[in-house]
């Protein structure tokens, strides 16, 4: 039994079954035993591999995206560049390197990283610091402590790690899915008593058939709202890339990953990564409600091709050995093909209502 398993059981004994959101919050973010607080889960040897770890082109193109948007903002002398959940810092190091082509933008940047994990912060400091000793990032636990001012937000595979609630339709109506201690000692899903009001999910889902599962992530919506408000009032933009659905949908998307394979979300909390599909419509709507305008989502494949991934790959291949060239081609396919990361992964932009169409949308 992990330490966290014991703590979760104590909380269940004291307060009753946990919501899926509370379980995720502790399994990922417990200050001592949460998954993102402990080791370094990323990269080819970790539990999963994210787009920036697949190829430097991903971060580079995002850097260029930021530079173009900054120019569209009137090239302000000072701008906050904020990354939410920077992982190992690879995306940001690649993005900043690509800004060799936009030195005025690079010089305008105040870099802020929102990261709760201590181990990951150290990792980010090392990756970004080694590549860009002139840039001193500031770290934040939450977006509320970010400084005022025009801000560009980047979030890759951040929202999928935020806690969700799950509701299940039954013949007696909607109930919340909860997590309890099973008779044999592990954890199991149970259902709350029927809700007396409709669940806080998209209204179009309320009439779902029995057994259907609907999800909502209040934590995601509140961050999307805060981003929308900042962008609308102070200026800037946000680029959110993640995997998920365009329209609100039904289905249990809670998943656990360990050693590059699927695992049971209820086994070994704190030692497996837990994620859920991002509801892009809900995120865009939350940002729009705060006064900004949401663009997309568009598939990651379409987005990266519009930003010029093929031309970037061709330039890299020019000076490369045959095996490296093959690797670069492979990375393009992996990031953009419809049956790889090209469609399931999507990009959404949040802009001030009057701003021009952002690149790639
Ligand atoms: N963007 C990176 C890492 C994605 S994993 C990449 O693409 O490789 C999710 C990241 O979000 C991790 O850095 C994790 O520690 C961070 N994170 C998760 N929940 C968070 C929260 N509530 N607040 C701040 N950071 C969080």
């Amino acid at each position: 039994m992990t330490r966290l398993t014991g703590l979760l059981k104590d909380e269940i004994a004291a307060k009753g079954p946990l919501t899926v959101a509370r379980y995720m919050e502790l399994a990922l973010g417990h200050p001592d035993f949460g998954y993102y607080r402990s080791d370094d889960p990323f990269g080819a040897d970790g539990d999963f591999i994210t787009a920036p770890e697949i190829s430097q082109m991903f971060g580079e193109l995002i850097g260029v995206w930021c530079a173009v948007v900054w120019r569209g903002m009137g090239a302000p002398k000072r701008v906050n560049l904020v990354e939410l959940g920077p992982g190992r810092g690879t995306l940001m190091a690649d993005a900043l390197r690509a800004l060799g082509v936009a030195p005025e933008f690079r010089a305008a940047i105040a870099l802020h990283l929102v990261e709760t994990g201590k181990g990951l912060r150290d990792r980010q400091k090392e990756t970004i610091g080694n590549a860009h000793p002139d840039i001193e990032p500031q770290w934040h636990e939450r977006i509320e402590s970010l400084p005022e001012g025009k801000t560009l937000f980047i979030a890759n595979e951040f929202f999928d790690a935020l806690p969700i609630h799950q509701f299940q339709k039954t013949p007696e109506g909607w109930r919340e899915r909860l997590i309890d201690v099973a008779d044999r000692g592990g954890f199991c899903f149970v259902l709350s008593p029927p809700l007396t009001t409709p669940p806080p999910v998209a209204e179009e889902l309320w009439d779902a058939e029995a057994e259907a599962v609907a999800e909502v992530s209040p934590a995601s919506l509140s961050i999307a709202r805060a981003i929308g408000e900042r962008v609308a009032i102070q200026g800037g933009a946000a680029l959110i890339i993640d995997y998920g659905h365009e329209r609100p949908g039904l289905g249990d998307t809670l998943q656990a990953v360990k050693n590059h394979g699927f695992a049971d979300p209820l086994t070994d909390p704190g030692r497996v990564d837990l994620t859920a599909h991002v509801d892009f419509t809900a995120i865009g709507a939350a940002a729009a409600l705060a006064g900004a305008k949401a663009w997309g989502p568009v598939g990651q494949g379409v987005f990266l091709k519009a930003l010029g991934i093929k031309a970037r790959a061709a330039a890299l291949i020019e000076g490369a050995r045959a095996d490296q060239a093959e690797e670069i081609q492979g990375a393009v396919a992996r990031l953009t093909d419809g049956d790889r990361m090209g469609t399931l992964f999507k990009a959404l932009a949040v802009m001030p209502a009057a701003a021009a169409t952002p690149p790639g949308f």
Side-chain angles (χ1 to χ4, degrees):
M1 185 162 93
T2 64
R3 298 279 293 278
L4 190 58
T5 299
L7 292 174
L8 289 164
K9 287 185 175 173
D10 289 348
E11 186 161 321
I12 292 171
K15 298 188 194 157
L18 307 175
T19 62
V20 173
R22 178 68 179 153
Y23 179 84
M24 277 182 93
E25 186 182 312
L26 292 170
L28 296 177
H30 184 280
D32 300 316
F33 311 117
Y35 180 75
Y36 286 119
R37 301 299 186 110
S38 41
D39 18 22
D40 173 6
F42 307 103
D45 303 317
D47 290 327
F48 56 93
I49 182 160
T50 59
E53 306 293 340
I54 291 173
S55 167
Q56 68 183 73
M57 293 182 284
F58 189 78
E60 290 171 346
L61 292 171
I62 290 177
V64 171
W65 188 91
C66 291
V68 173
V69 170
W70 171 78
R71 227 164 261 297
M73 288 158 63
K77 287 270 170 287
R78 238 19 219 155
V79 65
N80 299 317
L81 178 59
V82 173
E83 185 173 0
L84 308 177
R88 282 180 164 176
T90 310
L91 187 162
M92 188 51 70
D94 291 337
L96 292 170
R97 192 184 54 249
L99 296 184
V101 300
E104 287 163 21
F105 171 48
R106 197 176 177 287
I109 290 170
L111 184 60
H112 296 272
L113 306 174
V114 179
E115 174 62 67
T116 41
K118 166 83 177 67
L120 285 171
R121 282 186 181 199
D122 291 344
R123 196 65 201 238
Q124 292 153 17
K125 190 171 193 168
E126 191 182 311
T127 313
I128 298 169
N130 286 347
H132 308 282
D134 59 319
I135 290 187
E136 277 193 21
Q138 277 181 35
W139 278 268
H140 302 260
E141 283 276 319
R142 2 179 355 108
I143 80 169
E144 284 75 15
S145 65
L146 290 169
E148 306 280 293
K150 295 185 180 9
T151 302
L152 294 167
F153 292 93
I154 304 296
N156 184 61
E157 289 208 46
F158 170 74
F159 281 92
D160 66 18
L162 298 181
I164 58 160
H165 287 268
Q166 290 190 322
F167 298 91
Q168 189 168 330
K169 189 73 173 283
T170 70
E172 300 77 41
W174 286 98
R175 298 164 182 253
E176 180 156 8
R177 280 186 104 198
L178 303 172
I179 293 164
D180 203 352
V181 178
D183 292 338
R184 300 177 64 189
F187 294 108
C188 63
F189 286 106
V190 296
L191 291 173
S192 75
L195 307 181
T196 52
T197 55
V201 301
E203 203 173 323
E204 65 197 78
L205 304 179
W206 289 356
D207 288 336
E209 309 267 311
E211 301 302 317
V213 173
E215 300 176 337
V216 64
S217 172
S220 298
L221 300 183
S222 110
I223 292 178
R225 218 163 21 240
I227 289 174
E229 200 172 288
R230 273 177 183 262
V231 165
I233 296 173
Q234 307 189 33
L239 178 63
I240 294 164
I241 302 179
D242 223 308
Y243 81 111
H245 36 268
E246 178 164 357
R247 305 280 324 144
L250 294 167
D252 167 12
T253 74
L254 179 68
Q255 84 178 23
V257 168
K258 178 87 198 157
N259 298 328
H260 299 271
F262 291 112
D264 173 13
L266 298 190
T267 302
D268 266 354
R271 301 233 176 108
V272 297
D273 186 36
L274 293 176
T275 62
H277 280 213
V278 169
D279 180 347
F280 283 95
T281 304
I283 295 223
L289 207 63
K293 177 167 177 185
W295 295 80
V298 299
Q300 175 171 294
V302 170
F303 178 69
L304 293 177
K305 283 179 191 162
L307 294 186
I309 192 169
K310 295 233 157 126
R312 182 65 189 129
L316 287 173
I317 283 170
E318 218 158 85
R321 293 191 316 263
D323 60 321
Q324 292 169 327
E326 206 172 301
E327 198 181 313
I328 295 164
Q329 297 287 20
V332 173
R334 189 161 173 191
L335 292 171
T336 64
D337 282 0
D339 56 355
R340 313 283 291 280
M341 294 174 79
T343 312
L344 178 60
F345 281 77
K346 298 176 177 65
L348 178 108
V350 175
M351 308 286 294
T357 311
F361 291 82

